[in-house]
Amino acid sequence: MKKARPQRSGVPNRTRIAALIASSAFASMLAPAAQAQQAAAPTGPSTQSADAGNLERIVITATSQAKSKLRSSVSVTDVDQEQIRDFGARTEAEVLLLIPGIRTEATAGPGGNANISVRGLPISSGGSKYVQLQEDGLPTVQFGDMNFSNNDYWIRFDNNVETIQTLRGGSSSVFASHAPGAVLNYISKTGKQAGGEVGLTRGLNYDETRFDGDYGGRLAPDLYFHIGGYYRQGEGSRHYSDNALLGYQIKGNLTKEFNGGKGYFRVNFKVLDEHAPT
């Protein structure tokens, strides 16, 4: 019977050396991944908490209960000030092109009288027979297919508008008159968040100049205001007489909160005087 040959002192086993090298290499491969996971971990919660699609925004247009877009069963679209500015819309019809399911034909340019329809419903007599335009929940007109007095004559998009909330179908036929297709609600800024902005727009190859401005803030902890408007002049994108496109709008509101913000009383005012070639 052979006896095992004793190992020399100070010389490790080859198996142990191979295992040590393999474990070291494996640990070095895992180290960058572990560091990357630790570095990316803090950004996870902030990414998940960001409401990129405004799904937590409360639906206040043609609804009976205040629910967020995520919990609501109706088809709602929000278009905010930044999206419209990036789009470069010049008329109300071009503003509404950003809303899915809404079709507009600006047959009369920036003055109004656009044909507004909803996917699945026809334009039977021009105008916007099955659509209602609102400002802060108040309809501009009761029905939108009056000859040369459609609802887009009485509303203008400017810096006063915080978002355009659109409800297509569903309860729009119940909570609005002559609006089985959609309700387009222009929601104004209130000044609850203090601040404002000014802007100057000038046509590069056509004669039109427009100045926009607005400002809002708090007068007291439970009292705040917002005011703004625009002024423009020129002849527009077509060749007309001088100052064929001339007008302005001044719009504002004053809000008083009660019972710690559970209720409020608001006064709105608006002056719109504009002349367009059409």
Side-chain angles (χ1 to χ4, degrees):
M1 182 175 181
K2 295 183 179 179
K3 295 182 179 181
R5 186 171 56 186
Q7 297 180 354
R8 291 178 296 178
S9 60
V11 180
N13 194 349
R14 293 181 179 179
T15 305
R16 295 180 179 179
I17 295 176
L20 183 61
I21 295 175
S23 62
S24 301
F26 185 69
S28 63
M29 293 173 60
L30 288 179
Q35 294 176 0
Q37 290 178 358
Q38 292 177 0
T43 61
S46 61
T47 304
Q48 294 177 359
S49 62
D51 188 14
N54 295 325
L55 297 179
E56 298 300 330
R57 180 173 292 174
I58 302 300
V59 179
I60 63 175
T61 301
T63 56
S64 59
Q65 295 181 352
K67 294 182 180 180
S68 65
K69 290 174 58 178
L70 184 63
R71 298 180 180 274
S72 179
S73 60
V74 294
S75 179
V76 181
T77 301
D78 278 321
V79 179
D80 56 21
Q81 182 82 228
E82 184 178 355
Q83 290 177 287
I84 298 175
R85 186 184 298 111
D86 294 341
F87 184 65
R90 295 182 55 252
T91 65
E92 299 306 313
E94 293 178 355
V95 169
L96 302 182
L97 288 176
L98 290 172
I99 302 174
I102 301 296
R103 179 185 175 185
T104 60
E105 297 176 353
T107 57
N113 197 27
N115 296 330
I116 306 173
S117 64
V118 184
R119 182 172 50 220
L121 294 177
I123 301 179
S124 55
S125 60
S128 51
K129 187 173 184 178
Y130 306 109
V131 176
Q132 184 180 98
L133 269 65
Q134 298 180 353
E135 281 188 298
D136 299 314
L138 299 175
T140 57
V141 293
Q142 291 298 323
F143 52 96
D145 62 339
M146 294 182 291
N147 289 332
F148 307 106
S149 186
N150 298 338
N151 49 17
D152 62 332
Y153 272 116
W154 319 109
I155 192 169
R156 292 291 182 270
F157 178 85
D158 58 6
N159 288 353
N160 291 299
V161 180
E162 181 179 7
T163 180
I164 301 177
Q165 192 173 89
T166 303
L167 188 146
R168 299 183 301 278
S171 57
S172 65
S173 59
V174 179
F175 293 95
S177 62
H178 299 269
V183 176
L184 286 75
N185 189 13
Y186 285 59
I187 301 175
S188 304
K189 299 177 183 178
T190 61
K192 197 169 186 178
Q193 295 181 351
E197 58 183 348
V198 295
L200 180 64
T201 306
R202 174 67 181 171
L204 293 179
N205 57 351
Y206 58 94
D207 181 18
E208 182 178 346
T209 304
R210 171 166 170 159
F211 175 80
D212 289 85
D214 73 298
Y215 182 77
R218 291 184 179 270
L219 301 174
D222 57 353
L223 182 66
Y224 43 90
F225 76 99
H226 185 271
I227 187 171
Y230 74 88
Y231 174 82
R232 68 177 174 181
Q233 65 176 3
E235 60 181 14
S237 57
R238 296 178 180 269
H239 292 292
Y240 296 104
S241 60
D242 294 338
N243 292 334
L245 185 64
L246 178 64
Y248 66 92
Q249 174 176 264
I250 301 175
K251 182 180 174 183
N253 54 70
L254 180 67
T255 305
K256 169 68 175 179
E257 290 186 348
F258 298 97
N259 197 15
K262 295 182 180 179
Y264 67 90
F265 178 78
R266 178 171 297 153
V267 178
N268 297 278
F269 69 89
K270 169 182 170 180
V271 178
L272 173 61
D273 185 8
E274 189 173 79
H275 304 270
T278 54

